[in-house]
Amino acid sequence: MKKTEDAYFLQGLRNQLVALLKEKGITDEKVLEAIRAIPRHYFLDSAFSKIAYEDRAFPIDADQTISQPYTVAFQSQLLKIKKGEKVLEIGTGSMYQTAILAALGAKVYTIERQQVLFEKTTAFNKVFGDQFPDVFFSYGDGFEGLPEFAPFDKIIITAAAPKVPEKLWEQLKVKGMMVIPLDESETAQRMLRLTKKKDGLAKRESFEQFSFVPMLQGKSQS
Ligand code: SAH
């Protein structure tokens, strides 16, 4: 991640992106405002500056991807974040989704299993430290969550999950919500919003299909 000039034409492209996301069905004004406010090109190599505002996923280090803006907006909208809520994110990746969550007023705890990506998270504080002091980065296996900071109001998983991770479910507050792309086939995931009921069971809402990189066990140092 790198802070570069946020040129006027890039702000213009961001406005166009917001218009496109509206057309695609994103209605939450706070989410649209966050997309408008956060320069996505900071999270990509400078070679990608101009195309950072296309509604596409792009490769980042360690064979991972920065999620498509529509996906980021869709998941963020489902979370219904209120200011000050504690949100656990699995899959820090480029930190773009992390920044959007912070812009929505969340206290963000985010976990990445790829060491090379985790090491890059020091750049976040340099760029956004003053604006978003409540972001905590962790290197580890997202299946384990962060019990020391639990319980969380919301949990967002940004990789294709083979199942609902039990330990994460335990770390969610009653009435809390988990947004999770759950494997439906080898290449597609169904976006689910699971709300924790008093009895600990889930109210399950099902949305459209998406395609994510897989959620993998353990940490990776390669
Ligand atoms: N939110 C990111 C999406 C990155 S892609 C963004 O906006 O850029 C998904 C990320 O999840 C990858 O970086 C991948 O390494 C990470 N990941 C996969 N399995 C994980 C796990 N078990 N724990 C933590 N991170 C995981």
Side-chain angles (χ1 to χ4, degrees):
M1 178 192 184
K2 202 162 70 223
K3 182 172 181 168
T4 56
E5 200 192 345
D6 189 19
Y8 195 65
F9 83 101
L10 292 171
Q11 294 172 31
L13 291 178
R14 214 143 64 231
N15 287 335
Q16 285 177 24
L17 174 62
V18 166
L20 178 68
L21 295 176
K22 274 189 189 172
E23 270 173 38
K24 289 189 173 180
I26 304 297
T27 52
D28 186 327
E29 279 301 329
K30 287 182 190 150
V31 170
L32 294 168
E33 192 45 53
I35 302 266
R36 206 177 278 123
I38 301 294
R40 188 170 183 251
H41 63 280
Y42 289 3
F43 300 83
L44 294 168
D45 286 341
S46 56
F48 288 122
S49 266
K50 283 179 204 146
I51 57 172
Y53 298 104
E54 290 179 13
D55 190 22
R56 285 174 46 191
F58 288 107
I60 56 173
D61 283 344
D63 287 333
Q64 302 304 316
T65 55
I66 175 171
S67 297
Q68 188 181 339
Y70 176 68
T71 306
V72 171
F74 196 92
Q75 288 195 284
S76 301
Q77 177 165 287
L78 286 183
L79 281 171
K80 296 188 179 169
I81 289 170
K82 297 189 203 85
K83 270 209 170 67
E85 281 186 336
K86 279 168 69 180
V87 178
L88 175 65
E89 178 192 27
I90 309 302
T92 313
S94 69
M95 303 180 274
Y96 177 63
Q97 172 77 74
T98 311
I100 296 292
L101 295 171
L104 289 167
K107 290 186 177 142
V108 190
Y109 299 78
T110 180
I111 310 177
E112 175 56 54
R113 69 179 288 281
Q114 293 281 353
Q115 191 175 15
V116 279
L117 294 175
F118 172 70
E119 281 169 1
K120 293 192 162 193
T121 61
T122 52
F124 189 90
N125 277 339
K126 289 187 196 133
V127 178
F128 289 113
D130 292 344
Q131 207 179 343
F132 304 134
D134 290 327
V135 178
F136 175 77
F137 293 98
S138 161
Y139 171 48
D141 180 357
F143 281 100
E144 300 296 321
L146 288 172
E148 62 274 41
F149 295 108
F152 297 98
D153 297 290
K154 308 280 163 71
I155 298 180
I156 171 173
I157 300 181
T158 72
K163 58 180 177 145
V164 177
E166 264 170 52
K167 289 181 183 171
L168 297 186
W169 189 250
E170 284 167 14
Q171 291 170 32
L172 186 63
K173 281 186 193 171
V174 170
K175 293 189 185 160
M177 290 173 175
M178 176 186 288
V179 170
I180 174 170
L182 197 67
D183 280 338
E184 204 163 56
S185 71
E186 285 203 355
T187 51
Q189 293 81 46
R190 180 68 56 186
M191 192 65 75
L192 300 179
R193 178 168 61 194
L194 307 174
T195 306
K196 194 167 186 173
K197 298 189 291 187
K198 271 195 196 141
D199 60 8
L201 297 176
K203 175 186 142 199
R204 181 185 170 115
E205 295 167 277
S206 181
F207 301 89
E208 55 204 78
Q209 279 192 331
F210 289 83
S211 179
F212 283 84
V213 295
M215 183 175 181
L216 302 171
Q217 304 272 353
K219 294 196 254 188
S220 170
Q221 290 169 338
S222 56

